[in-house]
Amino acid sequence: REQLERINSKYNVFAEIRGKGMLLGCALNEHYKGRAKDCMVAANNEGLMCLVAGMDVVRFAPSLVIPDKDIIEGLARFEKAVASVVAG
């Protein structure tokens, strides 16, 4: 959650980060509403699989036994994906 908040402080794309444990959803703010699929496709282009929950929420549901290094790598890839969506 902290790393998603850091990404949001840099790119300002989420209105809210919600969920419990590793099951998290990032609700897009007004400027990016309807672009959850764009985030998912951009993440896929970076080699990261994430989900969408409607048109406005990017969802993460990793394995419960995911190593910390994989979380760090995944969030680095997600940041690149967010940057590409923001760049347009």
Side-chain angles (χ1 to χ4, degrees):
R1 185 181 298 261
E2 290 174 11
Q3 291 302 316
L4 290 170
E5 290 170 355
R6 184 190 59 74
I7 291 168
N8 193 43
S9 69
K10 187 173 182 180
Y11 296 100
N12 193 31
V13 294
F14 309 131
E16 177 184 22
I17 300 169
R18 58 186 178 224
K20 291 185 179 186
M22 294 295 292
L23 182 60
L24 297 172
C26 300
L28 300 173
N29 65 27
E30 288 294 320
H31 186 71
Y32 293 95
K33 270 210 178 297
R35 298 195 60 196
K37 185 176 178 183
D38 295 342
C39 292
M40 181 185 72
V41 169
N44 190 36
N45 291 341
E46 293 296 331
L48 176 70
M49 184 169 40
C50 62
L51 307 168
V52 296
M55 297 177 63
D56 303 323
V57 178
V58 179
R59 178 177 285 169
F60 297 94
S63 166
L64 294 175
V65 295
I66 188 170
D68 287 347
K69 67 181 182 82
D70 289 348
I71 294 169
I72 293 166
E73 175 67 25
L75 286 168
R77 290 175 186 222
F78 184 65
E79 183 172 356
K80 290 178 185 178
V82 168
S84 71
V85 170
V86 169

